[in-house]
């Protein structure tokens, strides 16, 4: 109140600066630690206590987990300081200053650039190496030689969905008018593909790619853009500006199917390996699938890579390479996106933000955060996740721990003893002295190298609960899937950004924590069902069809504001933390049970959050009505 | 600069009946009104044992829409009654309505005001005081809990962004959270001082950086009495009994509860001034405030609302708006208005409107040098 003569800026000494920065940084780190701690401690405890397998490379993993926390801290702060205000400002000005065509071109462009920069998409490519070309030629083509076409089609799908989403908000059209027709088309295509061997195998990929397309960078940007547009729009009174993410996770499914339909006639049908290499495919088909490479050299003598011990030097080199790679990846993701947004803001809209320094700091934070985070995911969380995921089947089946193979030097075959069972079948085993105890190890001839006198011994683990394929073991695996889905979701950055926006827009009537819990439970249920799908071998269609019909029914019952939020949370759930963990889980179990594609878990994990959030919305609606009408009801 | 005296009518209604209010405005041809989203918390009584342990906050937040419309003195009663009628505001839980006397500064001030020759009898109660309180984001739930438990009033909460000290720190400003919560409540005038005191205690506003509070006079109002989600256990719920008594007495004097409240409470240093409410196209308020800080005015809270004009063809205002509340010493009012004019705040490009009202009592932490933080 009192008038100060000079209020330009305050000079702050070094000590005061430190006193401001330290608590700020501590608070932000603590926030992220709280979100990550569940999934990490859960994975560690599960492996140590339930599976009873020590954790390999614990040092690197803990470094990685620390990097995840640090990276998330920077990333989230950068989102709130830079990317989201930028997106919102552009969204606000867009309908006022640009004509419809410019808006459409801009949205299409942003969608494509943002999606191609999305790190989560490369996870799909990684999983491509696990597919055998003869089992699923089309799937193999799309994930290997045709991967660029696949990514581009996903990106174009996202681009178009942003165009439609923004137009929807400008003209105030309700989300269900877009949602229901596109769902019907998608389900019809899925039913059609169900009868074609090749297409059926890509339907899992298609549904998953819709989910993967919207990641930690795209979602906050899209949400902010939508919020900005909805604020400036004259017609939207009830729509909240959410719902663009939903379309962004539906349209790519369609575009992947379209690409699949285009390539399907050009590729061979699935066949056996022998037939595949024995003139099963034509030259053109081979070219389409493998490019210039010769398939037989790639797959003819396919042997699993042996895990050898790396020297400390090599390990360090690997870590440094990982750091460099994640920094360059992050740069590739940020520069085009931020550059394109800033140029658009300054040149086409001729606007500026009130605090430009904050914006640039935010973008720098996002860059740093993304780099550290990716490094952490790769070296920490993914490794931990794949260790647990690959060993999870040991709860119901005995599995070989290939990564803890040990070599026994100077092995003398004379110590092998023969044992017999009730049927008189003979089996050979020997005693191994391990520290101070002696254990019996079955002897396998192929593991013995008589020349070097080395016996490589692969420890066998499980089944943990009773006999092979016991129900309790399956049950434990399902419970694990639920808790993994749930706890990983709590750490998901895009969800956190969405939930913050939701809390902001609803002025605290939908609390951030409540929304995250609801989504977490949904993802947990979805993962559980996805794993069940692999266990029992249900086709994806049988899960998708009834769930979506039920969802459409629930959607019709709900209020528009919850519809938008609920469907958006589906697209958001699966980001850089959940996707690798769930895919690894799916592939790990799929490998043990010899199932071709471990895809489809993600899409099932993305359905259930919609369900839980819609139910949460209906529940809140009930209390709202109660607060209004219990007295009126009394009067009637 | 054009300016005129007007009545600002504020309606806070449950979101589900907001459409009814909006329909009244459309039907009557109200030229401009703004709406903003907010929430009002009510107590929930969990009877499920474990859920009680799980959720520490015993509050349930209901979404509300806050409408503000300008009218003149002659039309006030008519509009007031129409809105009460349409949204059934006499029923607890539906919402509150109140009016204040303000001055409007805008090149087209006269056009913003709604006029209608129909006269009706006045409704609602007089002798009310509004309390406006700005606190750190997240602090409102605890405070509302105290307020509701003690039956002071039903608060309305909205979100805002604070400005002031932190903007002068350079980039270091990001270390200070700018998100604020604005708590508004309406109490009986004779309780106002005690309620103010109560809130200062509840929100620890006498500590630095905790917040800012002021009271403002209200001309006429009807206030929400619903404080709990519980259904009635008796033939009539407590809220119904209260609102029936209100109508019986024709005022809410009987509700005075702070008669013996904390006698000999610490004497606080209140200050007075004028509240300027700036409303402009989104993004511009911030720029203007930055320039105003040269006059020594710092510390404002920005919130976002939407200004609606019905006939679409010739819509003069952009719907996305920023609002800022800042408190200045009374003697500076003219200086600030002319400065705003010089900054082209009222120009077409910015679409600025300013409302002012006198504030008899305000409070915030003050350092020894009597300098506002």
């Amino acid at each position: 109140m009192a008038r100060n003569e000079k209020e330009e800026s305050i000079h702050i000494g070094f000590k005061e600066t430190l006193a401001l920065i330290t608590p700020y940084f501590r608070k932000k780190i603590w926030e992220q630690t709280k979100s990550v701690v569940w999934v990490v401690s859960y994975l560690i405890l599960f492996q140590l206590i339930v599976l009873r397998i020590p954790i390999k490379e614990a040092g690197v993993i803990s470094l990685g987990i620390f990097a995840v926390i640090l990276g998330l801290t920077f990333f989230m702060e950068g989102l709130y300081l830079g990317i989201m205000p930028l997106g919102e400002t552009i969204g606000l000005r867009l309908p006022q200053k640009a004509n419809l065509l410019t808006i459409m071109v801009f949205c299409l462009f942003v969608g494509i650039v943002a999606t191609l920069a999305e790190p989560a998409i490369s996870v799909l490519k990684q999983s491509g190496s696990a597919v055998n070309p003869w089992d699923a030629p089309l799937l193999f083509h799309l994930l290997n030689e045709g991967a660029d076409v696949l990514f581009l089609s996903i990106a174009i799908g996202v681009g178009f969905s942003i165009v439609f989403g923004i137009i929807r908000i400008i003209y105030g059209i309700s989300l269900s008018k877009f949602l229901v027709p596109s769902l019907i088309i998608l389900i019809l295509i899925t039913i059609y593909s169900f009868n074609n061997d090749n297409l059926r195998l890509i339907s899992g990929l298609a549904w998953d790619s819709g989910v993967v397309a919207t990641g930690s960078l795209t979602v906050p940007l899209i949400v902010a853009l939508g919020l900005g547009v909805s604020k400036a729009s004259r017609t939207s009174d009830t729509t909240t500006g959410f719902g663009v993410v939903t379309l962004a996770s539906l349209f790519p499914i369609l575009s992947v199917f379209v690409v699949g339909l285009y390539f399907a006639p050009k590729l061979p049908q699935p066949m056996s390996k022998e037939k595949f290499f024995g003139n099963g495919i034509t030259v053109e088909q081979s070219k389409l699938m493998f490019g210039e490479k010769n398939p037989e050299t790639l797959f003819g003598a396919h042997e699993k890579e042996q895990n050898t011990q790396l020297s400390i030097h090599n390990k360090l080199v690997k870590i440094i390479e990982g750091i460099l790679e994640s920094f360059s990846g992050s740069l590739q993701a940020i520069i085009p996106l931020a550059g394109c947004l800033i140029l658009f803001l300054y040149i086409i809209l001729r606007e500026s933000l009130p605090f430009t320094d904050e914006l640039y700091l935010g973008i720098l934070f996002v860059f740093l955060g993304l780099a550290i985070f990716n490094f952490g995911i790769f070296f920490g969380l993914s490794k931990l996740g794949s260790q647990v995921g690959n060993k999870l089947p040991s709860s119901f089946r005995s599995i070989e721990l290939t990564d803890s193979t040990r070599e026994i030097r100077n092995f003398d075959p004379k110590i092998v003893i023969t044992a017999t069972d009730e049927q008189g079948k003979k089996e050979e085993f020997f005693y191994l002295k391990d520290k101070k105890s002696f254990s019996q190890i079955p002897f396998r001839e192929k593991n013995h190298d008589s020349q070097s006198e080395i016996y490589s011994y692969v420890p066998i683990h499980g089944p943990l609960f009773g006999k092979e394929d016991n129900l309790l073991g399956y049950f434990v695996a399902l419970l694990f899937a639920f808790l993994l889905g749930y706890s990983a979701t709590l750490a998901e950055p895009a969800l956190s950004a969405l939930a913050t926006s939701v809390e902001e827009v609803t002025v605290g009537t939908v609390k951030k924590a409540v929304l995250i819990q609801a989504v977490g439970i949904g993802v947990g249920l979805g993962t559980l069902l996805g794993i069940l799908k692999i266990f029992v071998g249900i086709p994806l269609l049988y899960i998708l069809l009834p769930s979506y019909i039920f969802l459409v029914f629930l959607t019709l019952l709900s209020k528009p504001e919850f519809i938008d939020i609920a469907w958006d949370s589906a697209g958001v759930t699966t980001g850089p933390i959940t996707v690798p963990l769930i895919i690894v889980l799916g592939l790990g179990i799929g490998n043990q049970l010899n199932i071709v594609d471990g895809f489809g878990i993600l899409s099932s994990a993305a359905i259930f959050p919609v369900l839980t959030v819609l139910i949460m919305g209906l529940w809140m609606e009930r209390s709202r009505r109660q607060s209004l009408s219990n007295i009126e009801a009394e009067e009637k | 600069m054009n300016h005129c005296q007007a009545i600002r009518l504020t309606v806070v209604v449950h979101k589900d009946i907001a459409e009814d209010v909006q329909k009244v405005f459309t039907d009557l041809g109200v030229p401009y009104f703004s709406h903003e989203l907010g929430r009002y918390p009510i107590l929930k009584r969990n009877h499920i044992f474990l859920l009680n342990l799980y959720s520490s906050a015993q509050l349930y937040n209901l979404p509300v829409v806050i409408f503000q419309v300008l009218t003149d003195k002659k039309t006030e009663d008519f509009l007031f009654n129409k809105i009460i009628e349409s949204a059934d505001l006499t029923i607890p839980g539906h919402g509150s309505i109140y009016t204040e006397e303000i001055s409007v500064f805008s090149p087209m001030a006269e056009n913003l005001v709604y006029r209608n020759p129909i006269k009706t009898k006045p409704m609602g109660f007089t002798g009310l005081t509004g309390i406006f309180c700005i606190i750190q984001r997240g602090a409102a739930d605890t405070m509302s809990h105290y307020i509701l438990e003690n039956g002071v009033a039903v608060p309305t909460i909205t979100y805002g962004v604070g400005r002031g000290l932190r903007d002068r720190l350079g980039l270091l400003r990001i270390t200070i959270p700018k998100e604020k919560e604005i708590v508004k409540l309406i109490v009986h005038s004779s309780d106002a001082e005690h309620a103010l005191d109560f809130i200062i205690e509840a929100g620890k506003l006498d500590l630095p950086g905790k917040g800012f509070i002021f009271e403002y006079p209200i001309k006429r109002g009807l206030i929400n009495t619903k404080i709990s989600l519980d259904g009635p256990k008796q033939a009539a719920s407590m809220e119904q009994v209260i609102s029936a008594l209100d109508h019986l007495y024709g005022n809410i004097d009987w509700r005075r509860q702070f008669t013996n409240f904390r006698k000999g409470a610490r004497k606080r240093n209140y200050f007075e001034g004028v509240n300027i409410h700036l409303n402009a196209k989104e993004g511009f308020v911030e720029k203007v405030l930055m320039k105003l800080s040269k006059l020594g005015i710092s510390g404002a809270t920005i919130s976002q609302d939407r200004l609606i004009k019905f006939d679409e063809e010739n819509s003069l205002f952009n719907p996305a708006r920023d609002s800022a509340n800042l408190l200045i010493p009374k003697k500076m009012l003219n200086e600030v208005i002319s400065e705003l004019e010089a900054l082209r705040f009222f120009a077409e490009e910015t679409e600025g409107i300013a409302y002012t009202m006198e504030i008899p009592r305000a409070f915030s932490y003050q350092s020894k040098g009597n300098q506002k933080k």
Side-chain angles (χ1 to χ4, degrees), chain B residues 104-328:
Chain B
V104 188
F105 293 87
S106 164
M108 41 178 295
E110 300 287 329
N111 295 353
L112 296 173
V113 177
Y114 173 67
R115 290 189 171 78
N116 197 315
I118 306 173
K119 288 221 171 84
T120 40
K121 262 200 284 182
M123 264 179 92
F125 314 121
T126 50
L128 298 173
T129 298
I131 293 178
F132 188 103
C133 177
I134 298 161
I135 47 180
Q136 292 288 346
R137 184 75 55 95
D141 278 353
T142 333
M143 182 186 274
S144 326
H145 196 243
Y146 281 123
I147 292 173
L148 287 170
E149 284 274 298
N150 288 286
V152 178
V154 181
T156 308
I157 302 164
T158 51
Y159 277 175
V161 172
R163 293 187 37 96
L165 181 76
R166 70 185 291 279
D167 295 313
R168 287 183 278 137
L169 291 179
L171 255 188
L172 269 180
R173 74 177 95 88
I174 60 163
T175 59
I176 299 173
K178 60 179 174 184
E179 283 83 13
K180 305 278 187 227
E181 267 170 323
I182 303 167
V183 181
K184 276 183 247 180
L185 44 116
I186 295 158
V187 295
H188 190 266
S189 297
S190 57
D191 282 345
E193 185 169 355
H194 295 296
L196 218 56
D197 218 46
F198 180 82
I199 292 167
I200 292 172
E201 288 288 315
K204 299 191 178 66
L205 298 183
D206 44 1
L207 297 176
K210 284 287 183 185
F212 178 61
I213 188 168
F214 65 78
E215 58 167 58
Y216 54 97
I218 278 176
K219 202 171 164 235
R220 184 173 284 284
L222 195 64
I223 51 184
N224 184 13
T225 50
K226 180 126 187 152
I227 58 165
S228 159
L229 192 60
D230 263 351
K233 291 189 193 70
Q234 306 84 15
S237 73
M238 200 35 91
E239 287 97 2
Q240 276 173 298
V241 176
I242 294 170
S243 91
L245 278 175
D246 280 349
H247 284 280
L248 213 62
Y249 282 107
N251 57 44
I252 61 167
D253 284 348
W254 67 275
R255 280 209 237 159
R256 257 196 293 176
Q257 50 172 325
F258 285 115
T259 42
N260 288 318
F261 176 68
R262 281 165 35 86
K263 260 186 192 155
R266 193 146 55 91
K267 190 105 179 73
R268 301 196 190 275
N269 283 326
Y270 294 110
F271 46 85
E272 54 166 35
V274 175
N275 182 41
I276 301 191
H277 179 116
L278 300 177
N279 187 295
K281 210 156 113 180
E282 138 110 54
F284 283 103
V285 169
E286 208 152 35
K287 288 175 188 167
V288 166
L289 284 175
M290 267 159 98
K291 289 172 189 154
L292 272 188
S293 68
K294 290 202 180 89
L295 281 179
I297 294 156
S298 59
T301 310
I302 301 176
S303 52
Q304 292 179 332
D305 54 4
R306 295 163 62 86
L307 194 70
I308 303 290
K309 183 185 192 296
F310 278 112
D311 81 72
E312 289 286 326
E313 323 285 271
N314 140 37
S315 185
L316 276 159
F317 288 125
N318 191 308
R321 314 284 290 181
D322 273 342
S323 280
N325 274 296
L326 52 150
L327 206 58
I328 55 166

Side-chain angles (χ1 to χ4, degrees), chain A residues 1 4 7 10 12 24 92-93 96 230-231 233-234 357-358 504 507 559 561 620 624 631, chain B residues 15-16 39 60 63 94 137 159 168-169 173-174 240 282 304 306 315 318 327 371-372:
Chain A
M1 275 343 78
N4 290 0
E7 292 225 24
I10 300 171
I12 289 198
Y24 162 76
L92 259 173
R93 306 280 176 256
Q96 303 162 25
S230 87
K231 265 185 199 164
S233 124
R234 288 171 204 284
D357 48 352
E358 238 172 67
E504 192 75 24
V507 202
K559 285 216 162 177
E561 61 170 302
M620 291 177 111
R624 276 194 203 175
I631 290 153
Chain B
K15 201 173 176 189
D16 289 359
R39 68 176 200 260
Y60 191 82
H94 278 213
R137 184 75 55 95
Y159 277 175
R168 287 183 278 137
L169 291 179
R173 74 177 95 88
I174 60 163
Q240 276 173 298
E282 138 110 54
Q304 292 179 332
R306 295 163 62 86
S315 185
N318 191 308
L327 206 58
Q371 189 184 343
K372 199 199 159 270

Side-chain angles (χ1 to χ4, degrees), chain A residues 457-475:
Chain A
Y457 143 63
V458 185
I460 289 175
H461 195 75
L464 288 172
F465 305 96
K467 292 181 183 133
E468 294 276 312
D469 288 333
N470 63 83
L471 273 180
L472 182 63
Y474 281 114
F475 180 74

